[in-house]
């Protein structure tokens, strides 16, 4: 249809605008309102005819819009003059279309088929739109299309009989090869012509169809309606849409949808049918399925309303569309207040935001969810409930919403709370027991170390003094060492006795008026030598009017403990400040230092018995961890309080004691005297000679090193010493001793770490040097650990010189010395 034909134009200003949003009322209105749809239908059906010519869409459409406008105009005129026929006129659009098709290589049969398909498209569209087309309009439509076809085929006209014969064959081929069921029937009730596809669908041969009235093939239930439709056709009314069932050759029935045009003057009916059996079957199955769904929904609602749990259903947006009777009975809501998102009103305010967030996020992600919340009952009280929801999908995987259930779990929740509380108490008790057991083991190991260390120096120097071979300078140093270590051990024992008295409730106070300034001065005099030796400045500011009622000896013990702790934990060059001042009716004593400080984790435990921040074998400071516990108990006995503060490790610490100006305790009987230490026995035999044996002594305690050096040198050994594990490794590789003697409890790297590094060395560097461990950790498991670590022998503190010399001599004889460097 060439573009040189009339151009498509819209309705004139005189024509009423088509009504949108409703079905067309006439065939003319159909051509006006659904013209684009008709174009698409026609192109879809015509395109297969021109496959070999490979025409574009524009070439296919050609002048069809202009032709449709001509048809619309003819139908409008027919509506205005229903009694007459429209005058036939020359169609430029059809003529141009014929010339275009001739140029592109089409033949008359294709053009004829195009116009037949145009008529079918218009009638099919009218059938789908349910347009009641009067016979007059059908005649106008048919006449107009026939006229257009005549104009289009003019270019194809030939005088040759052969050409006309070809055209006849083409028309017959079109009739026979059409994918539609075409037939020509007579008003007498017999088929006159049927195409091949008609026979293929029903299974009858042409002869069989021609020999019997077609009413014999119609389903009995459809015969009455078919007779009625035939009556209309006999009166010239075309059939736009009619359905009935035809019996096939195998005895089954197939649904056919008919469109027919009668020619009463010839007694013929031109009809086309479509096999819609599959569509009918699908529709029936769909209806059955819908009925089954309705039955299933009714059963679901019945079961849900009698279920022992609360059930709910939502739509795609998450709005609740159904809740069973259980929900309404529990919450007191109704469908008006509970459906949609009204059920949120029954949730406890504290749980509402969490519930809404979980519900919304799960709905967006199409994922199952489970959440607990408190739900308000009809009595206004809230009870715990668990809500479980699962997404619903149709057979194609489209999300439909959620289905879920709500169960009252208040009793279970209460049981869980009680069980969790019981488990928490049991867990706390177990942790406390484990911690107490660990503290006990650590305390036993610590007390063994702290008591044996001074004993080693005391007994060692005493035995050397008894030999009578020490020169006068060393005798004086020996006596000083013995006295210092004996006092240290006495203080340890006194602390243990104080703790025992505290635990048993036998610690008593001799209460009297106490001048705190005098008490503080005595404590300062006691710790100043140690502070001076470490170059630690001790500053004191004391209010001389500060006096309390208390036990002067015990208060001095408090001040001494705090000051000695401050000095012990303050590095060289630091300072300790003591301040005593009155605060209303309270006397406040503060000890502040610039020492290593207290970690935040250990600060709450600083006044507990046997607790030390550095409690392992690598600790840098001695002590049993009892001093501050004793301080707290004594202060509390005086009606006061003690507290500790620190900004963290390496930032110093501050201890504050607050005592009232008067107390109510009275003097109690004197405490029992402390037990006397046992007298050491004499050395049973002279030490063995170690002449020529080279020994390396590693110990962080200077007194212990000096004692061992003196003991070994007096036995003829060549002794070198080291104050730490690192120094010991360096000396070992430089001196290549025959025997290694090492303490276990040393700072930074203890004896276990030291021997591990030694054994990692090669033989040439001293990795196989025989070694003996000297340790105050004297338990059987400590001995086992020592031997497993790589030592050949274990000597507990206090060291018996004879035992140590015998062990060294044995190791020197058993293991030959390494080659000299």
């Amino acid at each position: 249809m060439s573009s040189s034909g009339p151009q498509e134009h819209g309705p004139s200003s005189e024509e009423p605008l088509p009504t949108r949003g409703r079905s067309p009322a006439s065939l003319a209105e159909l051509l006006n309102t659904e013209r684009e749809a008709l174009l698409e239908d026609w192109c879809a059906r015509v395109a297969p005819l021109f496959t070999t010519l490979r025409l574009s869409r524009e070439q296919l459409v050609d002048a069809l819009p202009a032709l449709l406008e001509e048809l619309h105009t003819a139908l409008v005129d027919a509506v205005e003059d229903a009694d007459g026929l429209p005058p036939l006129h020359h169609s430029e659009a059809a003529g141009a279309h014929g010339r275009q098709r001739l140029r592109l290589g089409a033949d008359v049969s294709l053009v004829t088929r195009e116009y037949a398909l145009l008529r079918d498209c218009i009638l099919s569209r009218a059938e789908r739109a349910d347009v009641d087309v009067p016979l007059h309009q059908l005649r106008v439509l048919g006449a107009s299309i026939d006229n257009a076809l005549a104009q289009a085929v003019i270019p194809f006209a030939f005088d040759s009989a052969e050409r006309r014969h070809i055209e006849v064959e083409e028309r017959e081929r079109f009739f026979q090869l059409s994918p539609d069921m075409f037939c020509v029937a007579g008003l007498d009730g017999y088929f006159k012509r049927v195409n091949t596809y008609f026979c293929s669908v029903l299974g009858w041969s042409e002869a069989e169809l021609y020999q019997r009235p077609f009413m014999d093939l119609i389903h009995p239930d459809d015969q009455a309606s078919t007779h009625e439709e035939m009556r209309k056709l006999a009166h010239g009314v075309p059939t736009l849409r009619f359905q009935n069932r035809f019996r096939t050759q195998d005895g089954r029935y197939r649904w056919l949808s008919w469109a027919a045009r009668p020619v009463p003057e010839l007694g013929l009916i031109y009809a086309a049918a479509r096999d819609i059996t599959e569509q009918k079957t699908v529709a029936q199955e769909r209806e059955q399925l819908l009925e089954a769904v309705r039955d299933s929904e009714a059963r679901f609602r019945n079961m849900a309303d009698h279920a022992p749990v609360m059930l709910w259903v939502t739509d795609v947006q998450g709005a609740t569309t159904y809740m069973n009777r259980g929900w309404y009975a529990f919450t007191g809501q109704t469908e008006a207040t509970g459906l949609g998102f009204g059920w949120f009103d029954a949730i406890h305010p504290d749980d509402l935001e969490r519930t809404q967030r979980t519900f919304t996020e799960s709905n967006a992600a199409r994922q199952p969810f489970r959440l607990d919340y408190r739900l308000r009952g009809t009595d206004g009280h809230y009870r715990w409930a668990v809500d479980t929801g699962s997404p619903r999908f149709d057979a194609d995987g489209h999300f439909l919403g959620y289905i879920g259930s709500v169960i009252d779990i208040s009793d279970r929740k209460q049981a869980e709370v009680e069980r969790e509380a019981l488990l928490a108490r049991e867990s706390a008790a177990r942790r406390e027991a484990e911690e107490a057991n660990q503290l006990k083991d650590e305390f036993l190991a610590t007390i063994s170390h702290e008591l044996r260390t001074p004993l080693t120096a005391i007994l060692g120097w005493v035995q050397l003094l008894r030999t009578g071979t020490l020169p006068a300078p060393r005798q004086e140093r020996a006596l000083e060492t013995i006295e210092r270590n004996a006092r240290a051990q006495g203080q340890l024992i006194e602390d243990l006795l104080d703790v025992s008295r505290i635990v048993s409730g036998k610690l008593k106070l001799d209460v009297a008026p106490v001048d705190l300034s005098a008490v503080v001065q005595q404590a300062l005099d006691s710790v100043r030598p140690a502070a001076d030796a470490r170059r630690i400045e001790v500053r004191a500011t004391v209010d001389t009017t500060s006096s309390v009622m208390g036990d002067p000896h015990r208060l001095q013990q408090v001040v001494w403990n705090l000051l000695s702790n401050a000095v012990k934990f303050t590095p060289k060059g630091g300072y300790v400040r003591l301040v005593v001042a009155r605060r209303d009716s309270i006397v406040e004593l503060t000890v502040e230092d610039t020492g290593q400080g207290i970690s935040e984790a250990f600060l709450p435990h600083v006044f507990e018995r046997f607790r030390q921040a550095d409690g392992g074998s690598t600790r840098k400071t001695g002590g049993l961890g009892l001093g501050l516990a004793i301080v707290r108990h004594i202060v509390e006995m005086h009606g006061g309080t003690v507290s500790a503060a620190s900004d963290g490790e390496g930032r110093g610490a501050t201890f504050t004691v607050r005592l009232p100006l008067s107390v109510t305790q009275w003097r109690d009987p004197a405490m029992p005297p402390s037990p006397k230490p046992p007298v050491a026995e004499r050395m049973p035999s002279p030490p063995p000679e170690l002449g020529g044996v080279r020994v390396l002594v590693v110990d962080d305690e200077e007194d212990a090193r000096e004692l061992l050096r003196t003991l070994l040198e007096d036995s003829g050994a060549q002794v070198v010493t080291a104050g730490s594990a690192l120094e010991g490794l360096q000396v070992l590789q430089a001196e290549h001793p025959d025997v290694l003697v090492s303490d276990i409890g040393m700072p930074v790297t203890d004896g276990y770490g030291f021997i591990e590094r030694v054994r990692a060395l090669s033989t040439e560097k001293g990795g196989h040097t025989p070694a003996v461990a000297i340790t105050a950790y004297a338990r059987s498991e400590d001995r086992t650990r020592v031997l497993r670590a790589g030592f050949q022998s274990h000597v507990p503190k206090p060291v018996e010189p004879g035992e140590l010399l015998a062990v060294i001599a044995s190791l020197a004889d058993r293991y030959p010395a390494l080659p000299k460097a």
Side-chain angles (χ1 to χ4, degrees):
M1 297 182 180
S2 174
S3 58
S4 61
Q7 299 297 315
E8 180 182 2
H9 57 83
S12 64
S13 58
E14 291 78 17
E15 295 177 353
L17 293 174
T19 302
R20 303 296 181 181
R22 62 174 179 83
S23 299
S26 65
L27 196 60
E29 186 177 339
L30 175 73
L31 288 176
N32 191 31
T33 59
E34 297 191 22
R35 189 170 300 174
E36 292 298 323
L38 281 171
L39 280 171
E40 294 301 322
D41 289 350
W42 184 83
C43 286
R45 298 185 65 175
V46 167
L49 303 178
F50 293 89
T51 302
T52 57
L53 298 181
R54 298 181 181 180
L55 302 184
S56 66
R57 186 180 184 281
E58 290 74 18
Q59 289 174 324
L60 282 176
V61 172
D62 194 41
L64 181 60
L67 181 59
L68 289 176
E69 182 61 29
E70 291 178 2
L71 293 177
H72 172 260
T73 302
L75 287 170
V76 170
D77 294 338
V79 171
E80 295 175 353
D81 184 12
D83 296 331
L85 289 175
L88 297 179
H89 58 276
H90 180 68
S91 173
E92 290 292 341
H97 172 65
R99 291 190 295 275
Q100 186 248 20
R101 288 295 192 259
L102 183 61
R103 288 196 306 272
L104 294 175
D107 54 26
V108 173
S109 63
L110 290 179
V111 176
T112 303
R113 181 63 175 149
E114 284 184 80
Y115 283 82
L117 289 177
L118 177 59
R119 179 189 294 107
D120 289 345
C121 286
I122 294 173
L123 294 178
S124 297
R125 176 64 59 172
E127 180 182 3
R128 287 198 297 271
D130 201 17
V131 178
D132 188 9
V133 182
L135 180 60
H136 179 70
Q137 291 186 24
L138 284 175
R139 290 175 177 175
V140 170
L141 177 65
S144 298
I145 292 177
D146 290 343
N147 178 61
L149 174 60
Q151 298 292 331
V153 300
I154 289 175
F156 294 88
F158 296 98
D159 294 331
S160 171
E162 182 181 359
R163 178 66 178 174
R164 288 195 299 273
H165 178 70
I166 292 174
E167 290 178 356
V168 171
E169 288 183 348
E170 289 295 330
R171 285 195 295 271
E172 180 63 21
R173 185 180 297 110
F174 164 75
F175 179 79
Q176 294 296 341
L177 299 181
S178 173
D180 292 329
M181 299 173 65
F182 287 157
C183 69
V184 179
L187 292 175
D188 57 359
Y190 285 87
F191 286 117
K192 306 303 181 180
R193 288 290 307 277
V194 293
N195 68 347
T196 303
Y197 186 64
F198 197 102
C199 296
S200 174
V201 171
L202 297 181
W204 302 99
S205 66
E206 283 190 59
E208 291 173 329
L209 291 174
Y210 295 156
Q211 291 172 359
R212 61 199 309 175
F214 55 74
M215 292 297 295
D216 292 350
L217 302 178
I218 296 175
H219 194 282
D221 295 343
D222 299 336
Q223 289 192 5
S225 59
T226 305
H227 277 297
E228 177 61 22
E229 196 65 26
M230 287 293 295
R231 188 187 65 80
K232 295 179 181 178
L233 289 169
H235 285 82
V237 179
T239 296
L240 297 179
R241 182 177 59 193
F242 177 73
Q243 298 175 359
N244 59 9
R245 285 164 286 185
F246 261 71
R247 189 174 74 250
T248 62
Q249 201 274 339
D250 59 6
R252 293 179 296 178
Y253 285 89
R254 300 194 69 84
W255 279 97
L256 302 181
S257 178
W258 294 91
R261 179 184 176 186
V263 185
E265 59 271 21
L266 298 178
L268 297 177
I269 302 172
Y270 294 88
R274 293 180 183 176
D275 184 1
I276 60 170
T277 304
E278 284 73 17
Q279 293 92 314
K280 278 287 188 180
T281 303
V282 170
Q284 291 175 354
E285 292 177 351
R286 181 174 178 275
E287 183 60 31
Q288 293 172 356
L289 180 60
L290 290 176
E291 184 63 27
V293 169
R294 287 191 289 268
D295 292 343
S296 176
E297 182 177 356
R299 288 194 300 271
F300 166 76
R301 288 180 178 271
N302 186 46
M303 290 187 296
D305 285 337
H306 293 86
V309 298
M310 294 170 272
L311 301 177
W312 53 266
V313 179
T314 67
D315 60 15
V316 176
Q317 287 73 32
T320 305
T321 58
Y322 170 77
M323 285 180 167
N324 71 340
R325 294 177 183 175
W327 174 274
Y328 300 126
F330 186 93
T331 62
Q333 287 187 324
T334 63
E335 289 189 357
T337 59
L339 294 182
F341 297 98
W343 64 278
F344 282 132
D345 296 337
I347 307 299
H348 193 284
D350 294 344
D351 303 333
L352 181 58
E353 181 181 355
R354 174 175 55 86
T355 301
Q356 289 176 328
R357 182 176 64 254
T358 302
F359 185 79
T360 303
E361 292 176 353
S362 300
N363 191 79
R366 312 308 196 236
Q367 294 180 346
F369 67 86
R370 182 185 186 279
L371 59 93
D372 296 351
Y373 53 72
R374 284 161 288 182
L375 188 62
R376 186 179 64 244
T378 54
D379 57 359
H381 294 91
Y382 287 93
R383 295 177 64 83
W384 278 101
V386 58
D387 195 341
T388 305
S390 299
R392 298 181 296 126
F393 300 93
D394 63 13
D396 297 328
H398 299 122
F399 177 63
L400 301 177
Y402 274 79
I403 183 171
S405 62
V406 181
I407 301 175
D408 182 0
I409 60 169
S410 294
D411 296 339
R412 188 176 73 191
K413 199 75 172 181
Q414 181 63 30
E416 289 177 356
V417 171
E418 294 175 356
R419 184 172 65 252
E420 291 296 331
L422 178 61
L423 290 176
R425 290 195 297 270
E426 291 179 352
S427 178
R430 184 170 61 254
R431 287 196 302 271
E432 290 176 1
E434 292 173 352
E435 185 177 358
N437 189 58
Q438 181 182 358
L439 289 176
K440 179 195 71 175
D441 291 343
E442 292 179 356
F443 170 69
L444 291 176
T446 301
I447 195 173
S448 173
H449 179 274
E450 292 300 323
L451 291 176
R452 290 174 181 270
T453 297
L455 278 178
T456 298
I458 293 172
L459 293 178
W461 283 110
V462 167
Q463 291 175 1
L464 289 176
L465 287 172
R466 286 180 175 175
T467 63
T469 60
L470 285 178
R474 286 199 172 184
Q475 290 180 7
E476 183 64 27
R477 183 172 181 180
L479 293 174
E480 291 177 358
T481 302
I482 291 171
E483 180 180 6
R484 183 172 63 255
N485 283 279
R487 290 182 182 277
Q489 191 175 52
Q491 184 60 48
L492 292 174
I493 295 172
E494 189 62 32
D495 286 347
L496 287 173
L497 291 175
D498 282 345
V499 169
S500 176
R501 296 184 188 110
I502 290 172
V503 172
S504 62
K506 295 181 180 180
L507 183 64
K508 305 299 180 182
L509 300 179
D510 290 330
V511 180
V514 178
D515 181 3
L516 274 185
S517 61
V519 170
V520 168
Q521 189 59 48
Q522 293 173 5
L524 286 171
D525 293 341
S526 298
V527 301
R528 200 174 297 278
D532 293 341
R534 295 169 58 85
R535 298 195 301 278
I536 296 174
E537 180 183 359
V538 179
R539 308 170 187 173
T541 303
V542 181
D543 183 353
T544 57
T545 64
S546 302
S547 62
V548 297
M549 291 293 293
D551 187 328
H553 172 71
R554 292 300 181 184
L555 290 177
Q556 183 179 350
Q557 184 179 0
V558 168
V559 180
W560 181 85
N561 260 318
L562 295 176
L563 287 174
S564 61
N565 255 13
V567 171
K568 180 166 61 175
F569 291 104
T570 300
K572 293 180 180 180
Y575 73 86
V576 175
R577 183 172 63 184
L578 183 148
V579 177
V580 178
R582 292 183 59 177
R583 300 282 189 269
D584 297 329
S585 61
I586 298 296
V587 178
E588 189 175 87
L589 184 147
T590 303
V591 177
E592 180 185 355
D593 63 63
T594 58
Q596 69 183 42
I598 306 171
S599 68
E600 182 179 358
F602 185 72
L603 195 60
H605 309 288
V606 72
F607 292 106
E608 296 179 10
R609 294 193 300 272
F610 314 129
R611 291 296 292 263
Q612 293 178 297
D614 183 15
S617 60
T618 61
R619 59 199 185 111
K620 299 180 180 179
T621 57
L624 299 177
L626 299 177
L628 292 178
I630 294 172
V631 166
R632 183 183 66 174
H633 193 78
I634 293 175
V635 170
E636 290 177 352
M637 288 184 68
H638 281 79
T641 61
V642 61
S643 61
S646 176
D647 292 333
E649 296 184 13
R651 306 182 69 177
T654 302
F655 289 85
T656 303
V657 175
R658 296 178 178 86
L659 296 171
L661 290 176
S662 62
V663 293
T664 59
Q665 291 92 335
W666 299 95
R667 182 170 181 171
D668 291 316
M671 293 178 294
S674 301
K676 296 181 179 180
V679 178
E681 298 181 358
R682 291 181 175 273
M683 189 181 303
S685 60
E689 294 298 327
L690 298 177
V693 177
R694 293 174 298 163
V695 181
L696 169 59
V697 177
V698 181
D699 198 316
D700 63 305
E701 292 288 342
E702 184 178 354
D703 290 342
R705 290 200 307 273
E706 187 63 25
L707 171 63
L708 293 176
R709 175 194 285 275
T710 302
L711 174 63
L712 296 175
E713 285 181 348
D714 288 348
S715 298
Q718 301 175 13
V719 182
V720 290
T721 62
S724 65
L726 178 60
E727 184 182 353
L729 282 173
Q730 297 172 350
V731 174
L732 174 68
Q733 298 178 69
E735 298 294 336
H736 297 285
D738 299 319
V739 179
L740 171 63
V741 179
S742 174
D743 188 19
I744 292 297
M746 296 187 293
V748 184
T749 303
D750 59 12
Y752 301 118
F754 172 58
I755 196 62
E756 181 180 353
R757 295 186 183 182
V758 169
R759 295 307 180 219
L761 298 174
S762 64
T763 302
E764 292 74 13
K765 293 184 178 182
H768 290 173
T769 304
V772 56
I774 298 178
T775 174
Y777 302 102
R779 297 174 299 174
S780 59
E781 53 265 35
D782 295 325
R783 176 181 177 83
T784 302
R785 184 181 177 188
V786 162
L787 297 179
R788 286 181 176 176
F791 289 97
Q792 277 72 36
S793 186
H794 168 271
V795 177
K797 292 181 180 180
V799 175
E800 286 290 343
E803 180 184 358
L804 177 62
L805 295 176
V807 169
I808 293 176
S810 174
L811 292 177
D813 291 339
R814 186 180 304 167
Y815 302 100
L818 294 173
K820 302 298 185 290

